[in-house]
Amino acid sequence: MIRILYVLAALAFAAPALASDKSDIATAVNAYNDTLNRNDLPGAAAFYAPAPSIIDEFAPHLWSGAQAFSQWGADYGVYAAANKMTDPFMVIAKPAHVVVSGDRGYAVFPANFKFKRAGKPAHELGILTFAMVKFGGAWKIAGWAWSIK
């Protein structure tokens, strides 16, 4: 009986920490998105863990390692120019799903990628999925993937 009480007490104390970690992950992802929407690439880069992975719809589709974010940005620039895309802006909704396991997290956000194509408004509805890691006391992006709905 004593063991059960200890387990229940431990769970009661862990629940607020888990809820806090979930909201901290959402806050970090939203702050990253806001920074990227301001076209502050050095600021956005600060949200990443040291060797992240990125999966996106344009070639080469996978970027990983210390330069993943800058390489992805350069490749996006080429893709956007070739497709006459300007004024990118990502709107993310409340997370649909967040899981925390110790210093690791997983979060899924419905998203609307807005842009102009040849000067006309366009958008893609999709899902942004993030793998997060607690690094130096802060949640950092270990990887993300974009999927079109």
Side-chain angles (χ1 to χ4, degrees), residues 91-96 108-112 126-128 149:
V91 177
I92 58 175
K94 232 174 56 169
V108 179
F109 293 79
N112 186 355
I127 301 290
L128 277 168
K149 279 190 177 180

Side-chain angles (χ1 to χ4, degrees), residues 100-114:
V100 176
S101 301
D103 66 348
R104 303 294 171 150
Y106 173 86
V108 179
F109 293 79
N112 186 355
F113 177 52
K114 298 179 177 189

Side-chain angles (χ1 to χ4, degrees), residues 35-147:
T35 304
L36 196 56
N37 280 338
R38 288 192 307 271
N39 201 29
D40 177 0
L41 299 182
F47 285 90
Y48 282 89
S53 295
I54 298 172
I55 298 172
D56 209 338
E57 66 183 301
F58 55 89
H61 307 291
L62 173 65
W63 299 262
S64 61
Q67 301 303 314
F69 177 65
S70 62
Q71 291 169 341
W72 168 83
D75 290 336
Y76 173 77
V78 171
Y79 170 77
N83 290 280
K84 299 180 181 170
M85 296 168 67
T86 60
D87 303 327
F89 193 86
M90 183 69 75
V91 177
I92 58 175
K94 232 174 56 169
H97 185 65
V98 180
V99 176
V100 176
S101 301
D103 66 348
R104 303 294 171 150
Y106 173 86
V108 179
F109 293 79
N112 186 355
F113 177 52
K114 298 179 177 189
F115 55 95
K116 290 183 181 173
R117 185 181 317 256
K120 296 181 181 175
H123 72 99
E124 292 178 351
L125 295 177
I127 301 290
L128 277 168
T129 303
F130 289 84
M132 305 292 288
V133 62
K134 204 166 207 179
F135 189 81
W139 286 103
K140 299 288 185 173
I141 300 167
W144 63 261
W146 169 251
S147 302

